[in-house]
mmCIF file of all heavy atoms in Angstrom:
data_model
loop_
_atom_site.group_PDB
_atom_site.id
_atom_site.type_symbol
_atom_site.label_atom_id
_atom_site.label_comp_id
_atom_site.label_asym_id
_atom_site.label_seq_id
_atom_site.Cartn_x
_atom_site.Cartn_y
_atom_site.Cartn_z
ATOM 1 N N THR A 160 9.887 -0.131 -12.644
ATOM 2 C CA THR A 160 9.387 -1.343 -11.998
ATOM 3 C C THR A 160 8.272 -0.965 -11.035
ATOM 4 O O THR A 160 8.524 -0.318 -10.013
ATOM 5 C CB THR A 160 10.523 -2.065 -11.246
ATOM 6 O OG1 THR A 160 11.567 -2.339 -12.183
ATOM 7 C CG2 THR A 160 10.043 -3.350 -10.616
ATOM 8 N N LEU A 161 7.046 -1.346 -11.361
ATOM 9 C CA LEU A 161 5.871 -0.933 -10.597
ATOM 10 C C LEU A 161 5.972 -1.323 -9.118
ATOM 11 O O LEU A 161 5.577 -0.548 -8.243
ATOM 12 C CB LEU A 161 4.607 -1.522 -11.219
ATOM 13 C CG LEU A 161 3.277 -1.043 -10.655
ATOM 14 C CD1 LEU A 161 3.137 0.477 -10.768
ATOM 15 C CD2 LEU A 161 2.126 -1.738 -11.355
ATOM 16 N N SER A 162 6.541 -2.482 -8.828
ATOM 17 C CA SER A 162 6.619 -2.934 -7.430
ATOM 18 C C SER A 162 7.572 -2.089 -6.585
ATOM 19 O O SER A 162 7.546 -2.167 -5.363
ATOM 20 C CB SER A 162 7.030 -4.402 -7.367
ATOM 21 O OG SER A 162 8.303 -4.590 -7.947
ATOM 22 N N GLN A 163 8.400 -1.272 -7.218
ATOM 23 C CA GLN A 163 9.244 -0.355 -6.459
ATOM 24 C C GLN A 163 8.488 0.908 -6.060
ATOM 25 O O GLN A 163 8.953 1.681 -5.235
ATOM 26 C CB GLN A 163 10.489 0.014 -7.266
ATOM 27 C CG GLN A 163 11.425 -1.154 -7.438
ATOM 28 C CD GLN A 163 12.638 -0.816 -8.275
ATOM 29 O OE1 GLN A 163 12.667 0.159 -9.020
ATOM 30 N NE2 GLN A 163 13.654 -1.638 -8.170
ATOM 31 N N TRP A 164 7.332 1.112 -6.647
ATOM 32 C CA TRP A 164 6.514 2.293 -6.377
ATOM 33 C C TRP A 164 5.243 1.962 -5.585
ATOM 34 O O TRP A 164 4.712 2.811 -4.878
ATOM 35 C CB TRP A 164 6.098 2.950 -7.687
ATOM 36 C CG TRP A 164 7.236 3.458 -8.496
ATOM 37 C CD1 TRP A 164 8.123 2.710 -9.236
ATOM 38 C CD2 TRP A 164 7.649 4.801 -8.654
ATOM 39 N NE1 TRP A 164 9.037 3.524 -9.840
ATOM 40 C CE2 TRP A 164 8.771 4.823 -9.510
ATOM 41 C CE3 TRP A 164 7.178 6.005 -8.167
ATOM 42 C CZ2 TRP A 164 9.413 5.983 -9.871
ATOM 43 C CZ3 TRP A 164 7.812 7.162 -8.535
ATOM 44 C CH2 TRP A 164 8.928 7.152 -9.375
ATOM 45 N N VAL A 165 4.767 0.722 -5.729
ATOM 46 C CA VAL A 165 3.475 0.338 -5.152
ATOM 47 C C VAL A 165 3.638 -0.939 -4.326
ATOM 48 O O VAL A 165 4.210 -1.921 -4.805
ATOM 49 C CB VAL A 165 2.427 0.088 -6.264
ATOM 50 C CG1 VAL A 165 1.089 -0.341 -5.665
ATOM 51 C CG2 VAL A 165 2.248 1.323 -7.138
ATOM 52 N N THR A 166 3.132 -0.908 -3.090
ATOM 53 C CA THR A 166 3.086 -2.112 -2.266
ATOM 54 C C THR A 166 1.635 -2.398 -1.889
ATOM 55 O O THR A 166 0.844 -1.469 -1.672
ATOM 56 C CB THR A 166 3.940 -1.991 -0.995
ATOM 57 O OG1 THR A 166 3.493 -0.854 -0.239
ATOM 58 C CG2 THR A 166 5.403 -1.839 -1.320
ATOM 59 N N VAL A 167 1.317 -3.674 -1.820
ATOM 60 C CA VAL A 167 -0.048 -4.106 -1.527
ATOM 61 C C VAL A 167 0.002 -5.132 -0.408
ATOM 62 O O VAL A 167 0.793 -6.075 -0.456
ATOM 63 C CB VAL A 167 -0.714 -4.727 -2.782
ATOM 64 C CG1 VAL A 167 -2.144 -5.160 -2.473
ATOM 65 C CG2 VAL A 167 -0.681 -3.753 -3.958
ATOM 66 N N ALA A 168 -0.839 -4.943 0.595
ATOM 67 C CA ALA A 168 -0.926 -5.897 1.704
ATOM 68 C C ALA A 168 -2.397 -6.222 1.949
ATOM 69 O O ALA A 168 -3.223 -5.324 2.106
ATOM 70 C CB ALA A 168 -0.294 -5.306 2.961
ATOM 71 N N THR A 169 -2.715 -7.513 1.970
ATOM 72 C CA THR A 169 -4.083 -7.948 2.241
ATOM 73 C C THR A 169 -4.180 -8.449 3.676
ATOM 74 O O THR A 169 -3.178 -8.623 4.364
ATOM 75 C CB THR A 169 -4.511 -9.054 1.264
ATOM 76 O OG1 THR A 169 -3.605 -10.150 1.379
ATOM 77 C CG2 THR A 169 -4.532 -8.552 -0.168
ATOM 78 N N GLY A 170 -5.405 -8.662 4.134
ATOM 79 C CA GLY A 170 -5.616 -9.154 5.487
ATOM 80 C C GLY A 170 -5.275 -8.137 6.556
ATOM 81 O O GLY A 170 -4.957 -8.499 7.689
ATOM 82 N N GLN A 171 -5.361 -6.880 6.217
ATOM 83 C CA GLN A 171 -5.016 -5.790 7.132
ATOM 84 C C GLN A 171 -6.260 -5.262 7.838
ATOM 85 O O GLN A 171 -7.380 -5.477 7.386
ATOM 86 C CB GLN A 171 -4.364 -4.648 6.352
ATOM 87 C CG GLN A 171 -3.151 -5.063 5.551
ATOM 88 C CD GLN A 171 -2.009 -5.488 6.438
ATOM 89 O OE1 GLN A 171 -1.530 -4.714 7.258
ATOM 90 N NE2 GLN A 171 -1.573 -6.723 6.279
ATOM 91 N N THR A 172 -6.048 -4.544 8.918
ATOM 92 C CA THR A 172 -7.152 -3.872 9.606
ATOM 93 C C THR A 172 -7.120 -2.401 9.226
ATOM 94 O O THR A 172 -6.129 -1.707 9.471
ATOM 95 C CB THR A 172 -7.034 -4.034 11.134
ATOM 96 O OG1 THR A 172 -7.061 -5.431 11.442
ATOM 97 C CG2 THR A 172 -8.184 -3.333 11.846
ATOM 98 N N ALA A 173 -8.191 -1.946 8.595
ATOM 99 C CA ALA A 173 -8.297 -0.551 8.149
ATOM 100 C C ALA A 173 -8.324 0.391 9.342
ATOM 101 O O ALA A 173 -8.618 -0.028 10.471
ATOM 102 C CB ALA A 173 -9.553 -0.377 7.292
ATOM 103 N N PRO A 174 -8.022 1.677 9.116
ATOM 104 C CA PRO A 174 -8.006 2.644 10.220
ATOM 105 C C PRO A 174 -9.295 2.694 11.034
ATOM 106 O O PRO A 174 -9.271 3.007 12.215
ATOM 107 C CB PRO A 174 -7.757 3.980 9.512
ATOM 108 C CG PRO A 174 -7.006 3.610 8.290
ATOM 109 C CD PRO A 174 -7.592 2.288 7.860
ATOM 110 N N ASN A 175 -10.418 2.361 10.411
ATOM 111 C CA ASN A 175 -11.688 2.400 11.146
ATOM 112 C C ASN A 175 -11.983 1.085 11.864
ATOM 113 O O ASN A 175 -13.045 0.913 12.428
ATOM 114 C CB ASN A 175 -12.834 2.742 10.199
ATOM 115 C CG ASN A 175 -13.023 1.686 9.131
ATOM 116 O OD1 ASN A 175 -12.299 0.699 9.072
ATOM 117 N ND2 ASN A 175 -13.996 1.897 8.272
ATOM 118 N N GLY A 176 -11.032 0.116 11.797
ATOM 119 C CA GLY A 176 -11.187 -1.141 12.509
ATOM 120 C C GLY A 176 -11.729 -2.290 11.685
ATOM 121 O O GLY A 176 -11.898 -3.385 12.210
ATOM 122 N N THR A 177 -12.016 -2.067 10.405
ATOM 123 C CA THR A 177 -12.543 -3.136 9.565
ATOM 124 C C THR A 177 -11.431 -4.126 9.214
ATOM 125 O O THR A 177 -10.431 -3.761 8.603
ATOM 126 C CB THR A 177 -13.154 -2.578 8.260
ATOM 127 O OG1 THR A 177 -14.200 -1.669 8.598
ATOM 128 C CG2 THR A 177 -13.719 -3.680 7.395
ATOM 129 N N ALA A 178 -11.633 -5.379 9.619
ATOM 130 C CA ALA A 178 -10.645 -6.427 9.345
ATOM 131 C C ALA A 178 -10.731 -6.874 7.889
ATOM 132 O O ALA A 178 -11.677 -6.531 7.169
ATOM 133 C CB ALA A 178 -10.893 -7.611 10.266
ATOM 134 N N ASN A 179 -9.745 -7.663 7.475
ATOM 135 C CA ASN A 179 -9.697 -8.231 6.126
ATOM 136 C C ASN A 179 -9.808 -7.166 5.053
ATOM 137 O O ASN A 179 -10.589 -7.290 4.107
ATOM 138 C CB ASN A 179 -10.767 -9.308 5.951
ATOM 139 C CG ASN A 179 -10.486 -10.499 6.831
ATOM 140 O OD1 ASN A 179 -9.345 -10.930 6.944
ATOM 141 N ND2 ASN A 179 -11.507 -11.008 7.474
ATOM 142 N N SER A 180 -9.042 -6.118 5.206
ATOM 143 C CA SER A 180 -8.997 -5.030 4.240
ATOM 144 C C SER A 180 -7.665 -5.072 3.503
ATOM 145 O O SER A 180 -6.726 -5.746 3.923
ATOM 146 C CB SER A 180 -9.162 -3.681 4.951
ATOM 147 O OG SER A 180 -10.430 -3.595 5.577
ATOM 148 N N THR A 181 -7.593 -4.354 2.391
ATOM 149 C CA THR A 181 -6.361 -4.275 1.608
ATOM 150 C C THR A 181 -5.788 -2.874 1.739
ATOM 151 O O THR A 181 -6.514 -1.886 1.627
ATOM 152 C CB THR A 181 -6.623 -4.598 0.126
ATOM 153 O OG1 THR A 181 -7.065 -5.957 0.026
ATOM 154 C CG2 THR A 181 -5.374 -4.420 -0.720
ATOM 155 N N LYS A 182 -4.480 -2.814 1.953
ATOM 156 C CA LYS A 182 -3.763 -1.544 2.060
ATOM 157 C C LYS A 182 -2.821 -1.422 0.866
ATOM 158 O O LYS A 182 -1.942 -2.263 0.661
ATOM 159 C CB LYS A 182 -2.959 -1.505 3.363
ATOM 160 C CG LYS A 182 -2.151 -0.242 3.557
ATOM 161 C CD LYS A 182 -1.339 -0.326 4.851
ATOM 162 C CE LYS A 182 -0.523 0.931 5.076
ATOM 163 N NZ LYS A 182 0.298 0.808 6.301
ATOM 164 N N ILE A 183 -2.999 -0.361 0.084
ATOM 165 C CA ILE A 183 -2.148 -0.095 -1.075
ATOM 166 C C ILE A 183 -1.400 1.201 -0.793
ATOM 167 O O ILE A 183 -2.016 2.228 -0.506
ATOM 168 C CB ILE A 183 -2.986 0.049 -2.358
ATOM 169 C CG1 ILE A 183 -3.791 -1.230 -2.592
ATOM 170 C CG2 ILE A 183 -2.093 0.373 -3.554
ATOM 171 C CD1 ILE A 183 -4.843 -1.110 -3.664
ATOM 172 N N THR A 184 -0.074 1.132 -0.838
ATOM 173 C CA THR A 184 0.748 2.307 -0.567
ATOM 174 C C THR A 184 1.523 2.661 -1.821
ATOM 175 O O THR A 184 2.204 1.817 -2.395
ATOM 176 C CB THR A 184 1.712 2.049 0.601
ATOM 177 O OG1 THR A 184 0.960 1.612 1.738
ATOM 178 C CG2 THR A 184 2.482 3.313 0.962
ATOM 179 N N ILE A 185 1.415 3.921 -2.232
ATOM 180 C CA ILE A 185 2.107 4.419 -3.417
ATOM 181 C C ILE A 185 3.176 5.406 -2.979
ATOM 182 O O ILE A 185 2.892 6.361 -2.250
ATOM 183 C CB ILE A 185 1.131 5.108 -4.404
ATOM 184 C CG1 ILE A 185 0.076 4.107 -4.879
ATOM 185 C CG2 ILE A 185 1.868 5.684 -5.601
ATOM 186 C CD1 ILE A 185 -1.250 4.294 -4.249
ATOM 187 N N ASP A 186 4.409 5.150 -3.414
ATOM 188 C CA ASP A 186 5.533 6.062 -3.171
ATOM 189 C C ASP A 186 5.465 7.125 -4.269
ATOM 190 O O ASP A 186 5.973 6.933 -5.363
ATOM 191 C CB ASP A 186 6.845 5.290 -3.224
ATOM 192 C CG ASP A 186 8.059 6.183 -3.073
ATOM 193 O OD1 ASP A 186 7.910 7.368 -2.730
ATOM 194 O OD2 ASP A 186 9.175 5.686 -3.310
ATOM 195 N N VAL A 187 4.822 8.227 -3.980
ATOM 196 C CA VAL A 187 4.495 9.225 -5.002
ATOM 197 C C VAL A 187 5.726 9.896 -5.595
ATOM 198 O O VAL A 187 5.821 10.108 -6.801
ATOM 199 C CB VAL A 187 3.515 10.277 -4.437
ATOM 200 C CG1 VAL A 187 3.239 11.368 -5.457
ATOM 201 C CG2 VAL A 187 2.223 9.608 -4.005
ATOM 202 N N ASP A 188 6.697 10.242 -4.751
ATOM 203 C CA ASP A 188 7.849 10.967 -5.281
ATOM 204 C C ASP A 188 8.973 10.057 -5.758
ATOM 205 O O ASP A 188 9.956 10.520 -6.328
ATOM 206 C CB ASP A 188 8.384 11.985 -4.271
ATOM 207 C CG ASP A 188 8.865 11.359 -2.984
ATOM 208 O OD1 ASP A 188 8.900 10.116 -2.885
ATOM 209 O OD2 ASP A 188 9.206 12.117 -2.065
ATOM 210 N N GLY A 189 8.828 8.759 -5.517
ATOM 211 C CA GLY A 189 9.792 7.808 -6.038
ATOM 212 C C GLY A 189 11.128 7.757 -5.332
ATOM 213 O O GLY A 189 12.068 7.153 -5.828
ATOM 214 N N ILE A 190 11.218 8.379 -4.147
ATOM 215 C CA ILE A 190 12.529 8.381 -3.482
ATOM 216 C C ILE A 190 12.541 7.551 -2.207
ATOM 217 O O ILE A 190 13.451 7.667 -1.408
ATOM 218 C CB ILE A 190 13.037 9.814 -3.205
ATOM 219 C CG1 ILE A 190 12.087 10.598 -2.312
ATOM 220 C CG2 ILE A 190 13.300 10.544 -4.495
ATOM 221 C CD1 ILE A 190 12.633 11.954 -1.882
ATOM 222 N N GLY A 191 11.543 6.716 -2.031
ATOM 223 C CA GLY A 191 11.585 5.782 -0.922
ATOM 224 C C GLY A 191 10.549 6.031 0.145
ATOM 225 O O GLY A 191 9.843 7.041 0.150
#
């Protein structure tokens, strides 16, 4: 199930301060 490995959040502020950015987090090892 892809959604158990990948989460996506929009409307985020990037590390450099840019608003309205998208953050995609991948659980690489699959253990949480």
Side-chain angles (χ1 to χ4, degrees):
T160 303
L161 188 58
S162 61
Q163 292 178 341
W164 297 75
V165 179
T166 57
V167 181
T169 58
Q171 304 294 301
T172 300
N175 63 359
T177 301
N179 294 318
S180 297
T181 296
K182 179 182 180 182
I183 301 169
T184 305
I185 299 104
D186 176 11
V187 176
D188 61 6
I190 60 173

